[in-house]
Amino acid sequence: MDTHAPDWHLFRAFLAVVREGSLSGAARMLATTQPTMGRQVAALEASLGVKLFTRSIDGLLPTEAGLRLIPSAEAMAAAAETAWRSVSGKADEAQGTVRITASEVIGGEVLASLLTGFHALHPQISVELVLSNRNEDLLRGDADVAVRMVRPSQAALVARRIGNIDVGLYAHQHYLKEHPMPLCLHDLCQHALIGYDRNPAHSRMIEMMGVPLTREMFAFRSDSDLAQLAALRAGFGIGASQLGIAKQDRNLVPVLHAELLFSMDVWVAIHPDMRGDRRIRLTFDYLVKGLTHYAKISRHEA
């Protein structure tokens, strides 16, 4: 084993190969050459004294040692990205980069329009938007601002509760032209339903709602919320949507809202050390204001 600590760029090459599964893919990701990737991976293996990859028909797969290294390498990557963002602009100026993490639906359907208005006001602030239903670790620096559908579990975070948004069932009017409107929850068994595939979180949510549905009853299955929403808009069948999103599409018709609605919290959070950073604070305040309006139009009107 080399007694000198490996350079960061070697770990970056290692992560790129893990994510892409090949030296050529990693080279494209990092805008370099395949031989360079090969030399860097080999240098890291020599420095650590372990073999990090094995070849298979699926490409390069991490060895047991490689798998153990991934979390540490990812932490290093997150720290490097956080360090870069922290110096991308002065703390008292509205410029630099802000990394935002949000759920698939909020990020893809709501934040895009909000951030367009934000960019018009602050064109010197670049935005990185990460769509993930996994709660990124703000304290570790995975993102600067988080929009979450559950209360942040890390007590040290500065978090603002926006309010509740309701989720209900909808069907495209084209689908309802060919199928009768369900009159009760039992009628759903006679329809093409849109739902989850393998994600246990979706299963737990349905159980909490007390709805007698199982995975096998869905005619369209996907763990991507955006894919489910696309199927709903295409008229595949009956599926769930946030009310604020569905209200923007006159083709989507509410289904059984008197019997079934699910409410979710919306939170915006930042790292406590970021409160004094102007670009982070401007982003935080703008999202709070915009999402507060969105939450108001996302409530069911009894």
Side-chain angles (χ1 to χ4, degrees):
M1 177 185 293
D2 193 331
T3 57
H4 299 286
D7 292 334
W8 153 241
H9 71 276
L10 301 185
F11 288 100
R12 185 179 64 165
F14 163 75
L15 278 180
V17 176
V18 168
R19 291 165 179 169
E20 295 298 316
S22 68
L23 294 175
S24 58
R28 288 192 296 271
M29 172 187 285
L30 299 181
T32 185
T33 66
Q34 182 172 335
T36 298
M37 285 290 95
R39 287 193 298 270
Q40 290 179 345
V41 170
L44 183 60
E45 290 179 328
S47 179
L48 298 178
V50 295
K51 188 173 181 59
L52 298 174
F53 293 100
T54 59
R55 292 189 178 277
S56 73
I57 59 174
D58 296 321
L60 293 179
L61 298 178
T63 61
E64 183 176 344
L67 291 173
R68 292 198 303 269
L69 182 61
I70 291 174
S72 298
E74 288 180 335
M76 293 173 66
E81 291 178 4
T82 301
W84 180 85
R85 293 197 306 272
S86 69
V87 297
S88 65
K90 296 181 179 178
D92 59 349
E93 294 181 353
Q95 66 178 33
T97 300
V98 179
R99 189 172 182 84
I100 303 169
T101 179
S103 68
E104 279 191 350
V105 170
I106 289 292
E109 295 287 329
V110 181
L111 292 192
S113 60
L114 286 181
L115 292 173
T116 298
F118 178 77
H119 179 69
L121 291 174
H122 307 289
Q124 300 303 312
I125 299 179
S126 299
V127 174
E128 298 175 349
L129 179 59
V130 181
L131 301 188
S132 173
N133 291 335
R134 182 185 68 180
N135 288 335
E136 302 293 339
D137 193 339
L138 292 186
L139 295 181
R140 195 177 64 182
D142 291 346
D144 301 312
V145 183
V147 179
R148 294 178 173 169
M149 313 312 292
V150 294
R151 183 170 186 163
S153 59
Q154 296 170 309
L157 295 179
V158 176
R160 178 81 63 83
R161 182 180 179 275
I162 302 302
N164 296 104
I165 60 175
D166 290 330
V167 177
L169 296 179
Y170 286 87
H172 195 283
Q173 62 177 352
H174 291 166
Y175 176 83
L176 292 176
K177 286 181 180 179
E178 304 294 331
H179 305 83
M181 171 69 77
L183 300 179
C184 64
L185 292 178
H186 179 73
D187 290 346
L188 292 176
C189 299
Q190 308 303 318
H191 286 269
L193 302 181
I194 300 168
Y196 71 93
D197 182 20
R198 298 179 179 180
N199 190 339
H202 290 85
S203 177
R204 288 193 296 269
M205 182 179 296
I206 291 177
E207 291 175 0
M208 291 171 56
M209 296 167 65
V211 182
L213 293 177
T214 63
R215 175 184 179 276
E216 288 69 27
M217 296 174 66
F218 297 124
F220 182 96
R221 302 169 188 158
S222 176
D223 288 333
S224 168
D225 295 332
L226 291 179
Q228 291 185 29
L229 189 57
L232 175 62
R233 287 170 170 159
F236 188 98
I238 297 175
S241 172
Q242 296 179 17
L243 269 61
I245 293 172
K247 287 178 179 179
Q248 299 175 29
D249 189 340
R250 289 179 293 181
N251 290 314
L252 296 183
V253 180
V255 175
L256 298 174
H257 282 198
E259 295 190 42
L260 180 62
L261 281 175
F262 181 70
S263 185
M264 297 187 298
D265 276 352
V266 184
W267 294 77
V268 181
I270 59 174
H271 192 291
D273 294 345
M274 294 295 184
R275 284 178 292 184
D277 192 305
R278 188 159 185 251
R279 71 183 186 279
I280 304 298
R281 191 71 205 193
L282 285 170
T283 307
F284 178 85
D285 291 342
Y286 193 90
L287 291 181
V288 166
K289 181 179 178 181
L291 289 171
T292 297
H293 172 71
Y294 174 72
K296 288 180 180 179
I297 66 173
S298 297
R299 297 304 306 275
H300 177 64
E301 299 175 2

